[in-house]
Short mmCIF file of all heavy atoms in Angstrom, two decimals:
data_model
loop_
_atom_site.label_atom_id
_atom_site.label_comp_id
_atom_site.label_asym_id
_atom_site.label_seq_id
_atom_site.Cartn_x
_atom_site.Cartn_y
_atom_site.Cartn_z
N VAL Y 58 1.07 3.69 -1.42
CA VAL Y 58 -0.20 2.87 -1.56
C VAL Y 58 -1.32 3.36 -0.73
O VAL Y 58 -2.41 3.47 -1.25
CB VAL Y 58 0.13 1.36 -1.15
CG1 VAL Y 58 -1.15 0.49 -1.20
CG2 VAL Y 58 1.10 0.74 -2.20
N GLN Y 59 -1.10 3.66 0.55
CA GLN Y 59 -2.14 4.22 1.39
C GLN Y 59 -2.74 5.49 0.83
O GLN Y 59 -3.92 5.72 0.98
CB GLN Y 59 -1.59 4.52 2.78
CG GLN Y 59 -1.22 3.35 3.59
CD GLN Y 59 -2.48 2.40 3.88
OE1 GLN Y 59 -3.49 2.93 4.16
NE2 GLN Y 59 -2.31 1.09 3.79
N LYS Y 60 -1.94 6.28 0.24
CA LYS Y 60 -2.57 7.55 -0.38
C LYS Y 60 -3.38 7.42 -1.62
O LYS Y 60 -3.94 8.25 -2.07
CB LYS Y 60 -1.33 8.48 -0.74
CG LYS Y 60 -0.58 9.08 0.45
CD LYS Y 60 0.49 9.96 0.07
CE LYS Y 60 1.21 10.58 1.20
NZ LYS Y 60 2.36 11.44 0.78
N ASN Y 61 -3.31 6.19 -2.20
CA ASN Y 61 -3.93 5.94 -3.42
C ASN Y 61 -5.05 4.75 -3.35
O ASN Y 61 -5.11 4.00 -4.26
CB ASN Y 61 -2.95 5.55 -4.61
CG ASN Y 61 -2.14 6.77 -4.89
OD1 ASN Y 61 -2.61 7.69 -5.63
ND2 ASN Y 61 -0.98 6.86 -4.34
N LEU Y 62 -5.77 4.71 -2.31
CA LEU Y 62 -6.82 3.69 -2.09
C LEU Y 62 -8.23 4.16 -2.45
O LEU Y 62 -9.13 3.34 -2.21
CB LEU Y 62 -6.81 3.29 -0.54
CG LEU Y 62 -5.49 2.57 -0.06
CD1 LEU Y 62 -5.63 2.26 1.31
CD2 LEU Y 62 -5.24 1.45 -0.92
N GLN Y 63 -8.34 5.33 -3.00
CA GLN Y 63 -9.71 5.96 -3.40
C GLN Y 63 -10.37 4.90 -4.25
O GLN Y 63 -9.81 4.39 -5.27
CB GLN Y 63 -9.48 7.34 -4.09
CG GLN Y 63 -8.71 8.28 -3.39
CD GLN Y 63 -7.16 8.16 -3.70
OE1 GLN Y 63 -6.74 7.17 -4.30
NE2 GLN Y 63 -6.43 9.25 -3.41
N GLY Y 64 -11.66 4.71 -4.02
CA GLY Y 64 -12.42 3.90 -4.87
C GLY Y 64 -12.46 2.33 -4.49
O GLY Y 64 -13.20 1.60 -5.11
N MET Y 65 -11.57 1.90 -3.60
CA MET Y 65 -11.46 0.64 -3.18
C MET Y 65 -12.63 0.31 -2.18
O MET Y 65 -12.68 1.03 -1.21
CB MET Y 65 -10.15 0.32 -2.55
CG MET Y 65 -9.92 -1.14 -2.16
SD MET Y 65 -8.39 -1.44 -1.31
CE MET Y 65 -8.74 -0.91 0.33
N ALA Y 66 -13.35 -0.82 -2.50
CA ALA Y 66 -14.40 -1.18 -1.53
C ALA Y 66 -14.05 -2.37 -0.74
O ALA Y 66 -14.66 -2.51 0.25
CB ALA Y 66 -15.59 -1.50 -2.45
N ALA Y 67 -12.91 -3.03 -1.00
CA ALA Y 67 -12.53 -4.15 -0.21
C ALA Y 67 -11.92 -3.77 1.17
O ALA Y 67 -11.54 -2.55 1.25
CB ALA Y 67 -11.48 -5.01 -1.04
N GLN Y 68 -11.75 -4.66 2.01
CA GLN Y 68 -11.15 -4.28 3.28
C GLN Y 68 -9.67 -3.97 3.27
O GLN Y 68 -9.26 -3.11 4.02
CB GLN Y 68 -11.36 -5.46 4.30
CG GLN Y 68 -12.82 -5.57 4.63
CD GLN Y 68 -12.96 -6.63 5.75
OE1 GLN Y 68 -12.09 -7.38 6.01
NE2 GLN Y 68 -14.15 -6.74 6.35
N GLN Y 69 -8.95 -4.59 2.34
CA GLN Y 69 -7.50 -4.23 2.25
C GLN Y 69 -7.08 -4.53 0.75
O GLN Y 69 -7.66 -5.30 0.07
CB GLN Y 69 -6.66 -5.05 3.26
CG GLN Y 69 -6.71 -6.49 2.99
CD GLN Y 69 -5.92 -7.15 4.05
OE1 GLN Y 69 -5.82 -6.81 5.23
NE2 GLN Y 69 -5.31 -8.37 3.74
N PRO Y 70 -6.04 -3.79 0.29
CA PRO Y 70 -5.57 -3.98 -1.01
C PRO Y 70 -4.73 -5.29 -1.14
O PRO Y 70 -4.21 -5.74 -0.14
CB PRO Y 70 -4.73 -2.69 -1.27
CG PRO Y 70 -4.15 -2.38 0.11
CD PRO Y 70 -5.33 -2.74 1.06
N TYR Y 71 -4.45 -5.64 -2.33
CA TYR Y 71 -3.47 -6.68 -2.65
C TYR Y 71 -2.27 -5.82 -3.02
O TYR Y 71 -2.19 -5.14 -4.11
CB TYR Y 71 -3.86 -7.58 -3.86
CG TYR Y 71 -5.00 -8.49 -3.54
CD1 TYR Y 71 -6.36 -8.09 -3.95
CD2 TYR Y 71 -4.76 -9.54 -2.78
CE1 TYR Y 71 -7.41 -8.90 -3.61
CE2 TYR Y 71 -5.92 -10.47 -2.60
CZ TYR Y 71 -7.15 -10.11 -2.97
OH TYR Y 71 -8.29 -10.90 -2.73
N ALA Y 72 -1.28 -5.71 -2.19
CA ALA Y 72 -0.02 -5.02 -2.34
C ALA Y 72 1.19 -5.95 -2.61
O ALA Y 72 1.39 -6.91 -1.89
CB ALA Y 72 0.27 -4.07 -1.26
N TYR Y 73 1.84 -5.63 -3.77
CA TYR Y 73 2.97 -6.49 -4.21
C TYR Y 73 4.20 -5.68 -4.16
O TYR Y 73 4.27 -4.67 -5.10
CB TYR Y 73 2.69 -7.09 -5.57
CG TYR Y 73 1.47 -7.98 -5.61
CD1 TYR Y 73 0.18 -7.51 -6.00
CD2 TYR Y 73 1.42 -9.33 -5.25
CE1 TYR Y 73 -0.99 -8.31 -6.14
CE2 TYR Y 73 0.39 -10.10 -5.29
CZ TYR Y 73 -0.81 -9.59 -5.65
OH TYR Y 73 -1.91 -10.39 -5.70
N LEU Y 74 5.09 -5.96 -3.32
CA LEU Y 74 6.31 -5.27 -3.33
C LEU Y 74 7.42 -6.14 -4.07
O LEU Y 74 7.72 -7.21 -3.67
CB LEU Y 74 6.98 -5.05 -1.97
CG LEU Y 74 8.16 -4.34 -1.78
CD1 LEU Y 74 8.16 -2.99 -2.34
CD2 LEU Y 74 8.71 -4.17 -0.40
N VAL Y 75 7.84 -5.63 -5.23
CA VAL Y 75 8.73 -6.39 -6.09
C VAL Y 75 10.20 -6.05 -5.62
O VAL Y 75 10.47 -4.82 -5.59
CB VAL Y 75 8.47 -6.05 -7.60
CG1 VAL Y 75 9.45 -6.82 -8.45
CG2 VAL Y 75 7.03 -6.26 -7.89
N THR Y 76 11.00 -7.04 -5.37
CA THR Y 76 12.40 -6.90 -4.93
C THR Y 76 13.20 -6.32 -6.23
O THR Y 76 12.77 -6.47 -7.29
CB THR Y 76 12.96 -8.17 -4.40
OG1 THR Y 76 13.13 -9.07 -5.52
CG2 THR Y 76 12.15 -8.77 -3.36
N PRO Y 77 14.44 -5.93 -5.90
CA PRO Y 77 15.20 -5.28 -7.04
C PRO Y 77 15.65 -6.37 -8.05
O PRO Y 77 16.00 -6.14 -9.14
CB PRO Y 77 16.45 -4.71 -6.27
CG PRO Y 77 16.07 -4.53 -4.90
CD PRO Y 77 14.94 -5.49 -4.68
N GLY Y 78 15.63 -7.69 -7.53
CA GLY Y 78 15.93 -8.76 -8.42
C GLY Y 78 17.55 -8.85 -8.64
O GLY Y 78 17.98 -9.44 -9.71
N GLN Y 79 18.39 -8.51 -7.70
CA GLN Y 79 19.75 -8.46 -7.82
C GLN Y 79 20.37 -9.81 -7.39
O GLN Y 79 21.43 -10.15 -7.85
CB GLN Y 79 20.40 -7.38 -7.18
CG GLN Y 79 20.09 -5.97 -7.84
CD GLN Y 79 20.81 -4.85 -7.24
OE1 GLN Y 79 21.05 -4.85 -6.04
NE2 GLN Y 79 21.16 -3.88 -8.06
N THR Y 80 19.73 -10.36 -6.45
CA THR Y 80 20.35 -11.67 -5.88
C THR Y 80 19.48 -12.80 -6.25
O THR Y 80 18.35 -12.61 -6.82
CB THR Y 80 20.39 -11.57 -4.28
OG1 THR Y 80 19.01 -11.59 -3.78
CG2 THR Y 80 21.17 -10.39 -3.77
N ASP Y 81 19.94 -14.04 -6.03
CA ASP Y 81 19.31 -15.15 -6.36
C ASP Y 81 18.01 -15.37 -5.59
O ASP Y 81 16.88 -15.74 -6.03
CB ASP Y 81 20.05 -16.46 -6.25
CG ASP Y 81 21.24 -16.57 -7.32
OD1 ASP Y 81 20.97 -15.92 -8.33
OD2 ASP Y 81 22.21 -17.24 -7.06
N ASP Y 82 18.12 -14.86 -4.37
CA ASP Y 82 16.91 -14.92 -3.48
C ASP Y 82 15.84 -14.01 -3.91
O ASP Y 82 14.56 -14.29 -3.91
CB ASP Y 82 17.36 -14.53 -1.94
CG ASP Y 82 18.05 -15.65 -1.35
OD1 ASP Y 82 18.00 -16.86 -1.76
OD2 ASP Y 82 18.71 -15.43 -0.32
N ASP Y 83 16.33 -12.78 -4.37
CA ASP Y 83 15.34 -11.68 -4.92
C ASP Y 83 14.65 -12.24 -6.10
O ASP Y 83 13.43 -12.18 -6.28
CB ASP Y 83 16.06 -10.43 -5.30
CG ASP Y 83 16.43 -9.55 -3.98
OD1 ASP Y 83 16.02 -9.87 -2.91
OD2 ASP Y 83 17.07 -8.57 -4.24
N LYS Y 84 15.42 -12.91 -7.08
CA LYS Y 84 14.90 -13.47 -8.30
C LYS Y 84 13.82 -14.50 -7.97
O LYS Y 84 12.85 -14.62 -8.64
CB LYS Y 84 15.97 -13.85 -9.13
CG LYS Y 84 16.83 -12.83 -9.83
CD LYS Y 84 17.95 -13.38 -10.56
CE LYS Y 84 18.81 -12.18 -10.92
NZ LYS Y 84 20.09 -12.67 -11.69
N ALA Y 85 14.19 -15.46 -7.01
CA ALA Y 85 13.25 -16.54 -6.62
C ALA Y 85 12.00 -15.82 -6.00
O ALA Y 85 10.86 -16.36 -6.31
CB ALA Y 85 13.93 -17.34 -5.64
N GLN Y 86 12.11 -14.83 -5.20
CA GLN Y 86 10.98 -14.27 -4.57
C GLN Y 86 10.13 -13.66 -5.65
O GLN Y 86 8.83 -13.79 -5.57
CB GLN Y 86 11.39 -13.25 -3.57
CG GLN Y 86 10.24 -12.51 -2.81
CD GLN Y 86 10.65 -11.63 -1.72
OE1 GLN Y 86 11.77 -11.69 -1.36
NE2 GLN Y 86 9.73 -10.83 -1.28
N ASN Y 87 10.70 -12.99 -6.58
CA ASN Y 87 10.01 -12.32 -7.67
C ASN Y 87 9.25 -13.36 -8.50
O ASN Y 87 8.09 -13.13 -9.02
CB ASN Y 87 10.87 -11.37 -8.55
CG ASN Y 87 11.29 -10.15 -7.77
OD1 ASN Y 87 10.66 -9.82 -6.79
ND2 ASN Y 87 12.15 -9.38 -8.34
#
Side-chain angles (χ1 to χ4, degrees):
V58 169
Q59 289 296 320
K60 288 180 181 179
N61 290 282
L62 297 178
Q63 307 88 345
M65 183 182 81
Q68 289 185 348
Q69 63 185 31
Y71 292 99
Y73 300 95
L74 179 63
V75 181
T76 67
Q79 292 185 325
T80 66
D81 289 340
D82 287 342
D83 282 356
K84 290 175 186 174
Q86 183 177 344
N87 286 350

